Each structure stands twice: as C-alpha cells, then as structure tokens.
Amino acid sequence: MSNTDSFINEVTEEVRRDRLFAYFRKYGWIGLLLVVAVVGGTAWSEWNDARTSAAAQEFGDALSAAITNTDTVARIEALAAIDTFGASKGVVRDLLIAGDQAQIGRQNEAIEILDRISSNGDLPEIYRQIAAFKSLMLQSESMSVEERRLSFERLAASSTGLRTLAAEQLILIDIELDEIDSAIERLQDLRAAPDAGPNLQQRAGQAILALGGKLDVEP
C-alpha cells in the first residue's frame, strides 16, 4: 500500500506540474502584460511629474524675467511671448498683461482681456471674479452710475473674496449720488461683518463719523 500511495502521489504531482506549465503557456502572457503595464505606468507617471515640474520652473523663470523689464511695452511683449503650459498659468500672465495695458492707456485692450477671462467657465471662479472687478474699475468713467451700481451689487452678491472691495465701491457710488444714509448703512454692515479685520473696522468707523453717522453697531 505504501509503494502504491507513493506512486499515486508522484503521478498526481506530475499531473499538477504539467497542468501548471500548460496554464503558464496558455495564460502567461497576461501576467507579463500586467507587469509591463505596472512598470510602464510608474515610469510614465514619474516622467509626467518631472515634465510638469520642469514646465512650472520654466514658466516661473520666464515670468520673473519679463516683469523685471522697466519698459512697459517691452514687458507686455515679453509676457505675451511666454508659453503658459496651461490655463491656470495663462490667466496669471493675462492679468499682468491687462494691468500693463491699462497703465499705458490701452483701456480697450485691457478690458477685452479681462472680459475674456471673466467669461471663461473653465477657469477657477476667483480668477473670473478678479477679472470682472478689474474690468468694472476700468469702465467706471464710461458706464453710467446705475450700471456701475448694478454690476458691483452682482459682484458683491456672488463673490466672497471680493465682497468687501465691491461693497466699498458701492459706498463710493452712494456718496457720489449724495445718498449718505445708504452709504452709512453699508459701512455699518461692512464694519460688523464676521470677516472684517481691525483695519477694515477702523476705516469703516472713521468713514461713518466723517459722514455724520454714529458707531451704533459694534463689530
């Protein structure tokens, strides 16, 4: 019985080995493909990270070199020639170009750039709101008072980051229209806002007193 069991075990083991080799011959390419995919994916990820880092470094160097140019026109040309390597970097470059365009009196060119940014739904909201605010500021003299008020009210309602700046413009419009009570009320709200810092509270308080109001709302 012992010899028979030993013989059976050897045959069984041989059969298993043959089946294993058969499986390897038939399906081994799948394992090889998985190994190649894993190694290739890791290599591609590392290469892509290195390329992204190099592109960011190149963009930063080019941007630094461009903004150090003291000639505004030459600075605009240098900024426009920079490869942005993506929309997020492109909007930073374009905002700088718009600022320089406005500085040398090219208001229409600057407004066109800013309006293009503010209407681009693929960009982060904060960039769009900054562009919209800057565009409104550049158009202050060409827009009617009511148009400015409506535009800044929309911006104040939709933007958390620019709410204070938009509110300050609305206060100036109220003063321009001699609507002093409305200006004081906006200043009181601004001073009492949860995110109002000490400097803003102080400025708002001084403006309230200058307009003849009272500091009846504690921050």
Side-chain angles (χ1 to χ4, degrees), residues 91 95 113-136 155 158-159 162:
V91 70
L95 285 172
I113 293 172
L114 293 169
D115 287 347
R116 185 174 69 247
I117 294 172
S118 65
S119 61
N120 187 347
D122 294 332
L123 293 174
E125 187 67 20
I126 186 60
Y127 288 132
R128 298 173 60 192
Q129 292 170 350
I130 290 172
F133 180 82
K134 288 179 174 291
S135 178
L136 284 174
L155 189 60
S158 63
S159 171
L162 299 178

Side-chain angles (χ1 to χ4, degrees), residues 190-206 219:
L190 199 60
R191 184 168 177 263
D195 57 346
N199 291 335
L200 177 59
Q201 292 171 357
Q202 183 179 9
R203 291 202 315 272
Q206 291 171 345

Side-chain angles (χ1 to χ4, degrees), residues 3 23 28 91 111 152-153 191 207:
N3 291 335
Y23 284 137
V91 70
I111 291 170
F152 282 116
E153 283 178 345
R191 184 168 177 263

